[in-house]
Amino acid sequence: RTAMYGNLQPLIALLVAWLVLREQPTIWQGVGGAIVMAGLLLSRTARMQPAGPAPHVISVAPEPEVSEILIAPPRVSPSL
């Protein structure tokens, strides 16, 4: 959740430039700041839908037969 506040960095830079360097913010910077704030507000107040039931896990490799475990040597992949 804290990563979303990284979006505030341009707004903080704008505020510091206005206060310290006496730069005049443009209307487009104000519009961009309003969009960023609206996005943060929307992401913080949106209700999340509960996830559905977890999908069943299907094993890709078949289970070895008892005879394979007792008789067959272990399979070793060739090293390169």
Side-chain angles (χ1 to χ4, degrees):
R1 291 186 179 204
T2 59
M4 72 177 68
Y5 291 108
N7 295 324
L8 291 176
Q9 289 176 350
L11 295 177
I12 294 170
L14 176 68
L15 182 66
V16 169
W18 180 53
L19 294 174
V20 175
L21 301 176
R22 304 283 187 225
E23 291 190 11
Q24 288 295 328
T26 66
I27 187 71
W28 294 112
Q29 290 171 328
V31 170
I35 291 172
V36 167
M37 293 304 291
L40 283 172
L41 181 67
L42 180 66
S43 65
R44 291 293 297 161
T45 59
R47 298 197 185 262
M48 296 189 62
Q49 297 294 327
H56 296 289
V57 178
I58 300 173
S59 175
V60 177
E63 292 291 324
E65 297 283 330
V66 174
S67 60
E68 289 178 352
I69 295 173
L70 299 175
I71 298 171
R75 296 179 189 141
V76 177
S77 62
S79 58
L80 298 175

